[in-house]
Amino acid sequence: MVTGRMSDKTNKLLYIGLSLLIAVIFWFFVDSEQGHNTTQTYYNIPVEFIGETDTLPSRGLMLTTGADATVDLELRGPRTVISDLSREDITLQVDLTSITATGTFSMTYDLLLPDEIPRSSVTTERASRSTITVTIEELFEKTVPVKVSVAGEVADGYIYMAERMIAEPSELTLSGREEDVDQVVSAQVMLDLSGATSSVNQEFDYILLDGQGNEVSGENITVSSRRIEISAPVYLVKTLELTVDFTESPGSALEDLQDWYLGVTSIEVAGEAANLEGVDDILLATVDLSTLLSDTEMPLEITIPAGCVNISGITSTTLTILFKDTLETRAFTVSNISAIGLSQTQNFSRMTNSVEVLLRGDAQELEQVTADDIRIVVDLTPYEDNGTYSVPAVVLVDGHSNVGAVGTYSVACRITSS
């Protein structure tokens, strides 16, 4: 019997619970499907203005009052819609594109809701205002320069190349009311180079300044760019030695020189540390001593490493070469002319029968040289086709290791097939 009563009691409780569940489901169905509505108030909804940043400026106009307008709205709609609708979901828009002149205008606004909410399901019960009053004035524009104020010293051994600093943009276009814009004379960027060891390439904020150097609030001013990109070169300073290489031959060797020297032996350059890494000197030229007939002063241009700056300001120097007084020169007429580098099917015939050759060397050894000791050789390896050519010639002096030819020589010849 007790078991039967407990069973009846349990069944009764289940029946009551099921009935409540069905009632709740039915209530939600009726509330959503049968149009049970509720209201909610949304405060300080900002107003958006269509055409404020494009259409009006294109007509030389600007919005000066009313831009900060807000509206309080009491909206009515289905409970399920209104309960999920937040202030951020509501948009109020005023269309300014029809305004073509200055003045004060009373403009209506449109209420926009998210796409998933049918506009017809929500109505406005109350609004703190039905129109937005705006004032339209002439737009004043002005261009001001960007100035970079540099503070701090770069690290020892480095230099700030102020003349190479680039600010992009280098000027700003300001627009707004004339009384606001006209007081600005420049835009200032603060650049701190304290201890810098590399170039600066980044964007910076700036401030607007009046003619007395006081900061001007840009709250009511539209500026063409919000940040300035600064490229400020900070270079390593390095002293580079100036050097010359020599091509030597008998009678034209370094030991045959009394002296040689450069008018300027070093310069200071500046550049990115990476460009100067491992660079200690500048090779000005390679001089073939056999091409110099006597003491010579030779101007040489100084070519600095790529990406560097010559801060010494010296762009050239002079190489002076002095031969020993014990050296002499002597002329010979040489007819011993031969060729190398011919293929098996090529024949060589010279058109130049003899060459006037100038030899240089120690006076005593030069005295022992005869024309029979001198040979002229041309290398015809590069010439694959038959024809008539004037080709460079090499002068060889057999049996006299300290005597050699000076100057350059050539021989005219003809190449034919076998």
Side-chain angles (χ1 to χ4, degrees), residues 17 41 78 98 133 153 184 191 311:
T41 301
S98 61
T133 300
E153 295 185 9
V184 181
L191 177 62
I311 60 177

Side-chain angles (χ1 to χ4, degrees), residues 38-43 45 72-92 111-126:
T38 187
T39 61
Q40 183 168 320
T41 301
Y42 303 88
Y43 296 96
I45 302 172
D72 299 336
L73 288 178
E74 182 181 347
L75 300 181
R76 183 176 185 82
R79 189 185 307 275
T80 54
V81 172
I82 296 298
S83 61
D84 290 337
L85 188 65
S86 68
R87 175 176 176 272
E88 288 70 25
D89 295 327
I90 303 172
T91 301
L92 300 180
L111 170 62
L112 303 180
L113 298 175
D115 293 341
E116 62 271 17
I117 299 177
R119 180 64 185 85
S120 60
S121 67
V122 178
T123 59
T124 302
E125 290 287 291
R126 185 186 63 84

